[in-house]
């Protein structure tokens, strides 16, 4: 068993070597399909980070009328916190709203002066509500639309961010579709190339194969070198892809650092923590692909 | 050893290579099959090693009905038959020794057995002193003897040779036939396909003559009568 394995792998290496250029072409195509898959993964991670960055900034700001006193607002806050969808509610009392306003307009003397002329604080308290998920905001808004709050609330705003999230989601969907299309095209080409590679290998080894068949080598022994070659192809393509991917990260990381304020996106550490899964699955997928193509190509050209 | 019963082989779509062929070969016999080109001699040989399957009739080897043999069982059959075919040459990248050893390697023979058997069979064909030569460094007759040695590695009970003397001159042809006779004298059944009148006439063994896919004569101590 072990002996046969050694002999099969020797034949496979010989086969790989004899059709070196074809082997390189095959591996390159497998790499292209793997790279496009990794691009989807990376863009997915970037998109996720972008979503988090935006989501972090989103809240529903509820501005209460100035006649509403702080205790009432505290009660509403408690009600909101009871909602499943709500993750946090920041409470800014009347005084805080005033201070915020002053801070925001500190360079605008006209506004500050007119504020001075009013005798009392014109602002009501503010609640900044954060949802657990960006899709849950509409329900929070609906909750606040209840008639019993109508008199108390001056204004609530939300829209902008939802739009951005929708945009990001749509973009990510498009990227994924596009990436999968590209990956499938490369995958398809890779299958055709593998089939052709096997055909050429069968042709260049017709002497050996003829002898093997007539002296009674088992079908698996005849197929072995081709399967082993598929293994070499897949393994090499996966390792080289991983190398290219990590190299790419080194170049991209400086740009990513400044991409989203507040969110640190390290692709390297994202990949590191998932490397076994990401590359393991990619290797298995591509080995499955090449092995099956090779299996059928051998059957087609060998009658085994 | 061999039993063909009303065997017909049709290659798709409609080439009838042999029709209703029946014959029996007993263990230890030496049989020559002769006939014009395209009369189905090679087809008979291919049926015997299940390279092709019969369209009709029954093919038995050593009592084993291989008419509808499963492809997984074919290797087991071939390990019992030594085969020398026209289109099955030596591998040019290997020496005589390696060519013979290869046939054992690919069936999973242990290295020890390989280093035992290979010199033995090369000795049977009289090439023990040229084992390290590449095919290109061997004469046509020598190369063919290596091919025969390779077919002997499994100590076959049945030896099939399809035109083993194809392009050889009289002297080399003699040598090859002598080796086949020697193999037969060890008790191995030999089936030889040949065009060579002299060979058949000198052998004085059984001759099966074929024409247009049918057996037209089958004689002990036969002569080449076409
Ligand atoms: N694989 C094949 N497909 C279709 N037809 C075939 C095939 N092999 C052989 N034939 C046909 O079957 C017939 C018998 O061929 P076969 O090779 O058995 O003849 P042969 O007696 O060995 O001839 P030769 O003496 O020239 O070797 C021929 O007409 C040939 O063209
Ligand atoms: Mg023939």
């Amino acid at each position: 068993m072990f002996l046969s394995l050694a002999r099969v792998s020797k034949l496979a290496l010989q086969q790989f070597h004899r059709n070196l250029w074809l082997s390189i072409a095959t591996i390159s195509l497998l790499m292209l399909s793997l790279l496009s898959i990794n691009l989807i993964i990376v863009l997915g991670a970037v998109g996720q980070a972008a979503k988090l960055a935006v989501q972090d900034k989103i809240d529903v700001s509820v501005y209460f009328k100035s006649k509403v006193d702080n205790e009432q607002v505290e009660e509403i806050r408690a009600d909101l916190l009871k909602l499943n969808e709500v993750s946090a509610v920041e409470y800014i009392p009347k005084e805080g709203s005033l201070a915020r306003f002053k801070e925001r307009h500190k360079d605008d003397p006209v506004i500050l002066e007119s504020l001075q002329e009013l005798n009392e604080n014109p602002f009501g308290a503010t609640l900044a509500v954060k949802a657990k998920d960006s899709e849950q905001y509409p329900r929070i808004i609906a909750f606040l639309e209840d008639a019993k709050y109508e008199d108390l609330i001056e204004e609530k705003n939300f829209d902008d961010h939802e739009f951005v999230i929708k945009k990001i989601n749509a973009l990510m969907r498009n990227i994924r579709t596009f990436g999968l299309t590209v990956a499938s095209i490369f995958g398809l080409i890779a299958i055709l190339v593998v089939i052709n590679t096997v055909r050429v290998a069968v042709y260049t080894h017709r002497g050996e194969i003829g002898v093997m068949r007539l002296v009674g080598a088992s079908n698996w022994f005849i197929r072995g070198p081709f399967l082993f070659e598929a293994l070499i192809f897949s393994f090499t393509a996966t390792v080289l892809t991983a190398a290219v991917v990590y190299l790419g990260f080194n170049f991209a990381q400086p740009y990513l650092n400044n991409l989203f304020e507040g969110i640190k996106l390290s692709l390297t550490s994202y990949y590191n923590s998932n490397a076994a899964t990401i590359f393991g699955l990619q290797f298995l997928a591509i080995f499955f692909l090449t092995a099956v193509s090779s299996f059928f190509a051998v059957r087609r050209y060998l009658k085994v | 050893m061999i039993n063909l019963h009303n065997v017909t082989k049709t290659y798709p779509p409609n080439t009838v290579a042999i029709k209703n062929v029946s014959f029996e070969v007993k263990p230890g016999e030496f049989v020559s099959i002769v006939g014009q080109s395209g009369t189905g001699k090679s087809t008979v040989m291919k049926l015997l090693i299940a390279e092709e399957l019969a369209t009709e009739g029954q093919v038995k080897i050593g009592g084993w009905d291989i008419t509808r043999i499963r492809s997984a069982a074919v290797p087991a059959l071939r390990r019992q038959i030594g085969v020398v075919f026209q289109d099955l040459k030596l591998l040019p990248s290997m020496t005589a020794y390696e060519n013979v050893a290869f046939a054992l390697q690919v069936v999973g023979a242990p290295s020890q057995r390989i280093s035992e058997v290979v010199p033995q069979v090369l000795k049977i064909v009289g090439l023990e002193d040229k084992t390290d030569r590449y095919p290109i460094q061997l004469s046509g007759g020598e190369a063919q003897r290596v091919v025969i040695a390779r077919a002997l590695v499994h100590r076959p009970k049945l030896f099939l040779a399809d035109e083993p003397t194809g392009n050889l001159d009289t002297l080399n042809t003699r040598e090859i036939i002598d080796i086949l006779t020697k193999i037969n004298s060890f008790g191995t059944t030999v089936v030889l396909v040949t065009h060579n009148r002299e060979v058949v006439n000198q052998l004085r063994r059984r001759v099966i003559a074929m024409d247009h896919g049918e057996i037209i004569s089958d004689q002990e101590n036969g002569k080449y009568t076409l």
Side-chain angles (χ1 to χ4, degrees), chain B residues 42 86 162-163:
Chain B
S42 296
Q86 284 160 301
D162 192 347
E163 314 240 18

Side-chain angles (χ1 to χ4, degrees), chain A residues 37-58:
Chain A
I37 287 178
N38 282 292
L39 198 66
I40 304 176
I41 297 177
V42 166
L43 289 176
V46 172
Q48 201 58 43
K51 233 161 106 175
L52 280 179
V54 175
Q55 243 159 30
D56 203 49
K57 293 200 182 101
I58 308 192

Side-chain angles (χ1 to χ4, degrees), chain A residues 20-209:
Chain A
L20 190 62
W21 283 108
L22 207 55
S23 306
I24 292 174
T26 312
I27 290 175
S28 312
L29 265 160
L30 292 175
M31 271 181 73
L32 282 178
S33 13
L34 284 184
L35 281 174
S36 34
I37 287 178
N38 282 292
L39 198 66
I40 304 176
I41 297 177
V42 166
L43 289 176
V46 172
Q48 201 58 43
K51 233 161 106 175
L52 280 179
V54 175
Q55 243 159 30
D56 203 49
K57 293 200 182 101
I58 308 192
D59 46 28
V60 179
S61 295
V62 189
Y63 302 102
F64 289 90
K65 294 186 173 153
S66 56
K67 65 172 192 200
V68 182
D69 57 39
N70 286 346
E71 285 74 40
Q72 265 174 303
V73 175
E74 290 261 36
E75 263 170 49
I76 296 175
R77 173 169 190 251
D79 287 346
L80 277 169
L81 279 172
K82 278 182 212 143
L83 288 183
N84 269 336
E85 292 87 358
V86 173
S87 77
V89 182
E90 195 193 346
Y91 167 56
I92 303 143
K94 287 181 168 200
E95 305 72 36
S97 301
L98 180 65
R100 260 193 178 188
F101 186 86
K102 280 185 180 162
E103 172 67 21
R104 209 178 302 156
H105 298 279
K106 64 176 186 271
D107 299 325
D108 196 337
V110 183
I111 289 181
L112 288 180
E113 254 173 56
S114 48
L115 198 61
Q116 211 81 78
E117 262 152 48
L118 293 170
N119 281 332
E120 58 178 39
N121 183 352
F123 295 102
T126 308
L127 288 180
V129 188
K130 264 196 208 309
K132 285 177 186 143
D133 191 297
S134 62
E135 264 136 53
Q136 292 165 333
Y137 283 106
R139 251 176 290 159
I140 296 174
I141 306 243
F143 173 80
L144 292 167
E145 231 113 70
D146 195 306
K148 63 179 166 176
Y149 301 124
E150 205 182 317
D151 275 353
L152 314 176
I153 295 175
E154 174 86 44
E155 194 192 341
K156 38 189 190 297
N157 72 28
F158 171 55
D159 324 42
D160 295 357
H161 297 309
E162 190 184 32
F163 179 70
V164 173
I165 296 262
K166 269 196 180 135
K167 267 266 194 270
I168 293 179
N169 279 339
L171 193 67
M172 276 172 68
R173 257 198 309 279
N174 285 341
I175 289 175
R176 210 172 302 145
T177 316
F178 177 73
L180 281 178
T181 313
V182 171
S184 334
I185 291 173
F186 281 136
L188 204 69
I189 299 175
I191 291 180
L192 294 177
V193 170
V194 167
I195 290 175
N196 190 52
T197 308
V198 169
R199 193 175 63 174
V200 172
V202 167
Y203 183 77
T204 46
H205 290 79
R206 61 196 182 287
E208 280 91 340
I209 292 167

Side-chain angles (χ1 to χ4, degrees), chain A residues 218-262:
Chain A
S218 70
N219 290 344
W220 281 110
F221 197 98
I222 298 174
R223 284 177 173 287
F226 294 95
L227 278 182
F228 202 88
E229 209 183 9
L231 188 74
I232 301 177
F233 287 156
S234 320
F235 185 75
T236 317
T238 311
V239 169
L240 288 180
T241 302
V244 171
V245 164
Y246 276 101
L247 212 70
F249 288 169
N250 276 342
F251 283 108
Q253 199 57 56
Y255 301 100
L256 288 175
N257 284 342
N258 305 325
L259 197 53
F260 313 112
E261 60 179 285

Side-chain angles (χ1 to χ4, degrees), chain B residues 11 15 17 36-43 46 52 86 163 195:
Chain B
Y11 290 109
T15 311
Q36 304 275 330
S37 186
T39 51
K41 304 180 298 293
S42 296
T43 300
K46 285 176 185 164
E52 298 286 351
Q86 284 160 301
E163 314 240 18
H195 272 127

Side-chain angles (χ1 to χ4, degrees), chain B residues 94-132:
Chain B
M94 299 182 188
T95 64
Y97 184 96
E98 288 164 348
N99 262 287
V100 177
F102 182 74
L104 281 165
Q105 281 166 3
V106 298
V107 297
S111 308
Q112 200 198 334
R113 179 142 164 263
I114 295 177
S115 53
E116 212 174 273
V117 170
V118 177
Q120 276 174 14
V121 291
L122 281 168
K123 188 150 184 255
I124 293 176
V125 300
L127 279 178
E128 60 270 41
D129 53 344
K130 292 184 175 156
T131 56
D132 291 334

